[in-house]
Amino acid sequence: MFATRFAPSPTGYLHRGHAFSALTAHAAATAASGRFVLRIEDIDTTRSRPAFESAIYEDLAWLGLTWETPVRRQSEHLADYHAALAQLEAHGLVYRCFRTRREVAEAMASAPHGPMEVFRGGPLRSEEETARLAAGEPFAWRLSLDAAAAAVGGFDSLTFVEEGQGVIPARPELGGDVVLARRDVGVAYHLAVTVDDALQGITHVIRGRDLFEATHVQRLLQALLHLPEPTYRHHDLLLGPDGRRFAKRDRSETLRSLRERGMTPADLRKELGFG
């Protein structure tokens, strides 16, 4: 059965861009007589707030959307992500990286064959790693592109389907050895979302074009973890009068403020092309 999802992070109030994405996914599910799933991606415990999560439910209900319950909250399913990470570790596909962000930047800038656009590292010697672990030094789990390429027989045959464009070659090497987990925020976005989409039976990932590049590494993780491959649709981003996309960090006008100044759900739907 067709299934798609809207997966906001409770790190601020929703704005028009969120409404457009949620309505797009909901319309697709309705047209296909499929499932519309709401997921709360709250693994960033330093920025997620209960008030923002409550506002998500309120705003989406105001828009007239309905979704399956119970809602999956990522913070309640860390064991699923840790199990996936353990699977990758068991097959030698991840390594502990003790470099700070500054050290990573310096390593990229001083690469022997010229500055690197993305980070490519590797595990430490066993003795050094053991010593640093014993000293309690923080580290991040990074995906080893070299090991991953060997595991899937090279990236040339790795593809994903984008609605309207067809089969697209996956280029996970463009992201480098991405972080899959770290001590300060636990599991990282790429791993959590890949596991969730599989566990929730998502057949169509419908999201903004700003996340198109994330598909490359997520498709690799699906292959490494033997998870199903959804079809993707990355819709255009909603732009404001200034030509910039709506974003929380820019303090874009929120759905709450629109509601408070008298805008109706029908007004907003019409404005966004869903009238």
Side-chain angles (χ1 to χ4, degrees), residues 107-147:
M108 292 170 59
S110 61
H113 302 293
M116 297 186 294
E117 293 185 4
V118 296
F119 179 72
R120 298 288 292 270
L124 297 175
R125 291 180 295 103
S126 177
E127 300 81 2
E128 183 179 355
E129 181 174 283
T130 299
R132 298 184 78 159
L133 286 173
E137 294 186 27
F139 65 87
W141 285 105
R142 287 186 180 271
L143 178 65
S144 170
L145 280 181
D146 290 339

Side-chain angles (χ1 to χ4, degrees), residues 76-241:
E76 297 174 346
H77 298 277
L78 298 180
D80 292 330
Y81 316 133
H82 293 157
L85 183 64
Q87 183 178 338
L88 295 172
E89 182 188 3
H91 289 87
L93 298 169
V94 293
Y95 62 90
R96 294 181 180 90
C97 178
F98 292 85
R99 296 178 190 261
T100 64
R101 289 181 174 86
R102 179 177 179 178
E103 289 171 340
V104 167
E106 291 174 347
M108 292 170 59
S110 61
H113 302 293
M116 297 186 294
E117 293 185 4
V118 296
F119 179 72
R120 298 288 292 270
L124 297 175
R125 291 180 295 103
S126 177
E127 300 81 2
E128 183 179 355
E129 181 174 283
T130 299
R132 298 184 78 159
L133 286 173
E137 294 186 27
F139 65 87
W141 285 105
R142 287 186 180 271
L143 178 65
S144 170
L145 280 181
D146 290 339
V152 300
F155 298 146
D156 290 344
S157 61
L158 197 63
T159 62
F160 62 91
V161 176
E162 176 77 14
E163 284 190 2
Q165 297 184 42
V167 178
I168 293 180
R171 299 285 306 281
E173 67 274 14
L174 297 178
D177 288 0
V178 297
V179 171
L180 297 184
R182 65 170 78 248
R183 189 173 68 174
D184 54 349
V185 295
V187 67
Y189 166 75
H190 287 302
L191 183 60
V193 72
T194 301
V195 170
D196 283 342
D197 284 342
L199 289 178
Q200 294 188 286
I202 301 302
T203 62
H204 289 71
V205 173
I206 300 174
R207 58 190 181 186
R209 185 155 292 280
D210 56 325
L211 290 172
F212 180 85
E213 299 303 328
T215 309
H216 297 284
V217 67
Q218 290 166 19
R219 180 67 192 94
L220 175 58
L221 288 172
Q222 290 159 5
L224 295 174
L225 293 167
H226 306 290
L227 300 177
E229 174 193 352
T231 296
Y232 290 87
R233 187 206 303 179
H234 293 89
H235 59 72
D236 291 336
L237 300 179
L238 194 67
L239 304 179

